Amino acid sequence: YTTLRLQSPMSWGAWTLMIVTPLSLIWCALNIKILFPKWDWKYKWLYQLEAFFRKHQMPLAWMMLISSLILGVYTGILLSAFNARPLWNTSILGPLFLTSGLSTGAAAIVLISKNAAERLTFARIDLMLIGIELFLIIHMFMGFLASTQVHIDAASLFLGGAYTVPFWLFVVTLGLAIPALLELLEIRKFHMPYFIAPVMVIIGGLIFRFIIVYAGQASRWLY
């Protein structure tokens, strides 16, 4: 953690985690009374610390936003740096992971929010992010199929190979397409249980990460 290498995705990720973790804990502490109205810090210095961070809440929010975006894109960039794995070796992976993370984050807000207007707003945001995610997935495979044979072989893992059903069923269909349809219906005032779509998006995002990691290890240059 004490070594900073600007050319290393792993170093960027480690330092970003060092920043995001305490910032997240501070932000939770500032809002803990929303969940526990009778919360008592017990010590005066903790109240003083809370007052200090509350005074600087806006800069804190900006720091969290920037570091969270870096953290969201970091995993995809880290994987894409592994040239030995053709499936990971694409520049689309970083934006794809970021978009997926933003989508699942928006879905989580829809899931836990008690405000109907807020849920509707984030449903619209999530719908847009799902569209971007599908666009990136399509172009990722287009890039593979227009590249070298090893990249075509990597894409074939999802186009008739071992990961075809898990990816296209659980990620694309159940994790993206159907939730997008449900959110669109909700936006158009069709009343249905609001939690179904966000739960599907979150589970789909988790499965997406597992599949990309495992499928990436199955793709290689030498056969």
Side-chain angles (χ1 to χ4, degrees):
Y1 281 106
T2 57
T3 301
L4 177 60
R5 296 183 179 178
L6 297 178
Q7 295 178 334
S8 169
M10 184 67 78
S11 182
W12 274 91
W15 278 94
T16 303
L17 281 170
M18 284 186 65
I19 296 170
V20 167
T21 303
L23 288 179
S24 300
L25 292 174
I26 292 169
W27 194 263
C28 289
L30 291 177
N31 295 278
I32 194 170
K33 290 184 179 179
I34 296 175
L35 290 176
F36 306 102
K38 296 182 180 180
W39 182 268
D40 182 14
W41 289 112
K42 297 185 183 299
Y43 299 103
K44 182 180 178 180
W45 67 272
L46 286 175
Y47 279 103
Q48 292 173 341
L49 197 62
E50 180 189 13
F52 171 80
F53 284 117
R54 198 169 294 281
K55 182 181 178 181
H56 299 88
Q57 198 165 358
M58 186 59 71
L60 186 67
W62 277 105
M63 289 172 64
M64 283 191 63
L65 175 63
I66 295 169
S67 57
S68 297
L69 290 174
I70 295 172
L71 185 64
V73 76
Y74 146 72
T75 310
I77 292 177
L78 176 65
L79 292 177
S80 66
F82 285 87
N83 296 329
R85 301 297 180 183
L87 181 67
W88 294 343
N89 190 215
T90 169
S91 59
I92 290 182
L93 213 54
L96 181 56
F97 266 73
L98 175 61
T99 307
S100 175
L102 292 172
S103 175
T104 53
I109 293 174
V110 173
L111 186 62
I112 65 176
S113 177
K114 297 180 180 180
N115 186 301
E118 185 179 46
R119 288 201 301 266
L120 198 61
T121 298
F122 277 92
R124 290 192 178 98
I125 293 172
D126 191 35
L127 184 61
M128 177 188 68
L129 291 168
I130 287 174
I132 296 172
E133 196 172 347
L134 289 170
F135 172 84
L136 291 173
I137 288 172
I138 291 169
H139 278 73
M140 181 177 70
F141 284 110
M142 287 175 63
F144 284 144
L145 295 174
S147 189
T148 61
Q149 184 60 46
V150 289
H151 290 93
I152 295 173
D153 293 339
S156 69
L157 292 170
F158 299 87
L159 303 173
Y163 294 92
T164 303
V165 173
F167 183 77
W168 295 103
L169 176 61
F170 294 112
V171 177
V172 175
T173 304
L174 296 178
L176 294 173
I178 293 178
L181 178 61
L182 293 176
E183 288 175 342
L184 184 61
L185 291 174
E186 185 177 354
I187 291 170
R188 293 185 175 275
K189 308 300 182 183
F190 285 88
H191 295 289
M192 60 187 66
Y194 72 90
F195 60 86
I196 296 176
V199 167
M200 293 176 74
V201 169
I202 292 170
I203 294 174
L206 179 63
I207 295 173
F208 165 73
R209 281 155 176 76
F210 275 108
I211 288 177
I212 290 296
V213 170
Y214 279 97
Q217 294 176 78
S219 68
R220 55 189 184 273
W221 284 89
L222 300 176
Y223 289 86

